[in-house]
Amino acid sequence: MPDPKGFLEHERRVVERRPVPVRLLDYREVYPPAPEALVRQQASRCMDCGVPFCHEGCPLGNRIPDWNDLVRTGAWPAAIEALHATNNFPEFTGRLCPAPCEAACVLSIAGGEPVTIKQVEVEIINRVPSLVPRPAPSRSGRTVAVVGSGPAGLAAAQQLARAGHQVTVYERDDALGGLLRYGIPDFKLEKHHIDRRLAQLSAEGVAFVTGVHIGVDRSAADLRTAHDAVVLACGALAGRDTPNTPGRGLGGVHFAMDHLVGANRAVALGAPDTAPIHAAGKHVVIIGGGDTAADCLGVAHRQGAASVTQLDRYPLPPPARNEDSDPWPTWPWILRNYPAHEEGGTREFAVAVQSFVDSGTGHVSAVRLVDVTVVRQDDERVVSVVPGTEREIPADLVLLAIGFDGTDAVPALRQLGVVANRHGTVDCGPDWQTSADGVFVAGDMHRGASLIVWAIAEGRAAAASVHAYLGGSGSLPAPVTPKAVPLAVP
Ligand SMILES: Cc1cc2nc3c(=O)[nH]c(=O)nc-3n(C[C@H](O)[C@H](O)[C@H](O)COP(=O)(O)OP(=O)(O)OC[C@H]3O[C@@H](n4cnc5c(N)ncnc54)[C@H](O)[C@@H]3O)c2cc1C
Ligand code: SF4
């Protein structure tokens, strides 16, 4: 029975982030651990509504009111049991999820303050001293290859290993974790969290092979022949370019991911200053408005940029939910301020880049931009220039964070006879099976660039289908179908 008055007695409070001048000196996580008293008090704000819409907001179907009440009463071991029942990796989602569950919380109706669900989630897993392996009681004798070690691949691997199948995860990179490893900076996710979880998967019997690019170093068709099933979880890592913008070929104009991956690798080596694309002393312009752009912003400030400007072609979103277009409990279009935004920099909205200006030495010296309006017509976005608004801003380093064009695992798909769709992603049937028999797909490779919570949900659901395909006994949980979409107005 939850506390019937918790939400009346306590206001929403999240733990304070580390002070900006301090955290800019390192790459450690921005959020310190939250005190137990704060977490329990905040969990007591959950009123365990008869119809918990937060379940619907969370693609994993996390049983949020259950673990909120366990935290309220200090029953931490039971809380992690309840959380792990639906989420393989709460240490990732608790740190990184944008928390659509909070947008769907009943307390957020009419502009109210939702329960701090995400904070409770991360504090539950933070209090687990060690991740106890749960190996399968018996082996099925069937083998599965998972290609890609991001959250989708790891979730599928853990589910299948626990169901008794022999799983091998193949990763082309030198370290495991997908975008969590070298895409997302340490100030959002320190990497020991990934290593701790990987140790659990290893102890459960999952085998890992790194440095093997399936489709290049080893044929995907051969992989399929050698295993009873294959799960493709290769992400959507083909960076979107702007090849027709004059000056794109100038020195100093880079894909954002080249900046981030180099910087994160340098941090992993304990030598952040050796990052190959470094912002120290430079005027940095980041083009794009999502997670990738915000991560570049945080890295650029830690590297000592002279200035950072973030350009977004969409207008400044409203500060609060528009109840007509984005009614509760949907995920609203509002201005989202990441911790990186409070560390400095300027944001310009409703602008488009016309060209990158040459310094005269083949290097970029400025970005020429213009105000624009964007309207939706027949499902297409039409961008119009506002005449007379052309201007230049200084730029020594330009980072393109304008999205992704689907998967880059093209050789593997070709060898399997699977054709990517027009978005560059891979279609599947209701059982997550691609057009190739016994070849399944999950995560960004199927959904397009999305979120960790969706990747884990798809990995779990695809694993359930693989288990059925292999004739496994019983059924595994499948929180989403391939056609599932975030809560939206029909
Ligand atoms: C910079 C950045 C920041 C982000 N921040 C957030 C955030 O804060 N919160 C959030 O929820 N989401 C965030 N995202 C999105 C999130 O990271 C992805 O949605 C999620 O990682 C997708 O998981 P995945 O397992 O499908 O693929 P990925 O994590 O992309 O993993 C795919 C893996 O497959 C490997 N691979 C590909 N092809 C092959 C092959 N042929 N052979 C072997 N291995 C292969 C790749 O090397 C990679 O390791 C962010 C994304 C980016 C780019
Ligand atoms: S995974 Fe995300 S949506 Fe689900 S409960 Fe956690 S923060 Fe909320």
Side-chain angles (χ1 to χ4, degrees):
M1 175 66 190
D3 180 350
K5 292 203 189 130
F7 71 100
L8 297 172
E9 288 168 356
H10 307 294
E11 291 187 347
R12 176 185 163 101
R13 260 183 65 211
V14 288
V15 68
E16 278 188 28
R17 295 184 271 272
R18 294 197 295 136
V20 170
V22 175
R23 70 191 201 223
L24 283 182
L25 298 174
D26 61 42
Y27 286 83
R28 306 293 307 275
E29 279 177 13
V30 162
Y31 285 94
E36 178 168 359
L38 173 69
V39 186
R40 289 181 60 179
Q41 177 209 70
Q42 290 298 307
S44 79
R45 295 183 71 239
C46 177
M47 53 185 155
D48 192 8
C49 341
V51 182
F53 280 84
C54 53
H55 282 198
E56 304 299 318
C58 175
L60 283 163
N62 276 346
R63 299 178 202 148
I64 297 159
D66 291 6
W67 37 262
N68 271 336
D69 200 46
L70 291 164
V71 168
R72 178 183 72 81
T73 56
W76 296 98
I80 190 60
E81 285 298 314
L83 182 49
H84 269 152
T86 53
N87 187 355
N88 300 68
F89 312 129
E91 64 277 32
F92 305 153
T93 46
R95 284 180 171 76
L96 299 166
C97 188
C101 55
E102 293 187 14
C105 174
V106 166
L107 288 185
S108 73
I109 293 176
E113 295 280 19
V115 176
T116 58
I117 298 170
K118 178 177 160 178
Q119 176 172 272
V120 175
E121 180 174 0
V122 78
E123 291 303 330
I124 295 173
I125 185 70
N126 280 351
R127 280 169 176 73
V128 174
S130 68
L131 296 171
V132 181
R134 296 184 182 186
S138 59
R139 315 299 300 175
S140 70
R142 316 304 298 273
T143 67
V144 182
V146 174
V147 187
S149 67
L154 293 181
Q158 185 165 56
Q159 293 296 98
L160 288 165
R162 287 179 172 180
H165 309 297
Q166 178 54 54
V167 182
T168 306
V169 176
Y170 294 86
E171 171 55 58
R172 66 184 175 189
D173 223 329
D174 63 355
L176 300 159
L179 281 169
L180 307 185
R181 178 66 66 176
Y182 294 131
I184 293 177
D186 288 50
F187 54 79
K188 280 169 63 179
L189 178 78
E190 290 177 15
K191 306 311 166 193
H192 56 88
H193 301 298
I194 310 174
D195 298 333
R196 182 165 98 137
R197 190 58 79 171
L198 290 170
Q200 186 197 39
L201 267 73
S202 292
E204 290 170 355
V206 177
F208 293 106
V209 180
T210 54
V212 173
H213 192 162
I214 300 300
V216 177
D217 302 320
R218 181 169 177 188
S219 149
D222 167 51
L223 197 73
R224 172 69 190 95
T225 309
H227 294 83
D228 295 309
V230 171
V231 179
L232 298 175
C234 302
L237 297 167
R240 186 168 298 151
D241 205 350
T242 173
N244 299 326
T245 305
R248 168 64 183 92
L250 291 171
V253 182
H254 300 278
F255 282 116
M257 288 308 288
D258 290 343
H259 174 237
L260 283 177
V261 171
N264 293 334
R265 281 182 183 279
V267 170
L269 293 170
D273 288 343
T274 62
I277 301 172
H278 210 286
K282 294 180 181 163
H283 295 292
V284 180
V285 173
I286 302 167
I287 304 174
D291 276 322
T292 309
D295 289 356
C296 287
L297 176 68
V299 170
H301 279 128
R302 281 163 182 72
Q303 291 180 336
S307 71
V308 189
T309 309
Q310 198 185 329
L311 306 179
D312 196 329
R313 74 181 172 162
Y314 296 104
L316 177 69
R321 182 194 287 279
N322 178 332
E323 293 289 351
D324 294 330
S325 54
D326 299 333
W328 176 89
T330 63
W331 179 244
W333 181 65
I334 56 170
L335 180 65
R336 301 206 181 265
N337 292 312
Y338 298 81
H341 290 120
E342 66 189 17
E343 295 166 359
T346 310
R347 292 161 96 174
E348 291 205 34
F349 292 89
V351 291
V353 172
Q354 290 195 308
S355 63
F356 304 109
V357 181
D358 191 339
S359 63
T361 62
H363 199 279
V364 67
S365 63
V367 169
R368 191 163 174 74
L369 52 92
V370 65
D371 290 348
V372 293
T373 56
V374 184
V375 288
R376 213 172 236 288
Q377 270 176 16
D378 303 330
D379 245 19
E380 294 285 324
R381 293 193 181 106
V382 181
V383 181
S384 310
V385 166
V386 179
T389 59
E390 294 82 1
R391 58 199 183 275
E392 286 183 11
I393 55 172
D396 312 304
L397 174 60
V398 175
L399 302 171
L400 305 178
I402 51 179
F404 296 87
D405 279 330
T407 180
D408 61 2
V410 177
L413 289 179
R414 198 173 44 240
Q415 290 158 7
L416 291 165
V418 175
V419 180
N421 62 30
R422 68 188 176 92
H423 304 293
T425 53
V426 175
D427 293 329
C428 63
D431 63 353
W432 302 90
Q433 204 167 180
T434 66
S435 56
D437 177 54
V439 178
F440 297 76
V441 66
D444 281 6
M445 191 178 194
H446 161 255
R447 180 164 291 272
S450 179
L451 295 172
I452 293 160
V453 64
W454 278 102
I456 300 172
E458 291 211 355
R460 286 171 71 84
S465 286
V466 174
H467 183 64
Y469 174 83
L470 296 177
S473 61
S475 60
L476 300 184
V480 289
T481 65
K483 290 202 182 308
V485 291
L487 275 182
V489 179

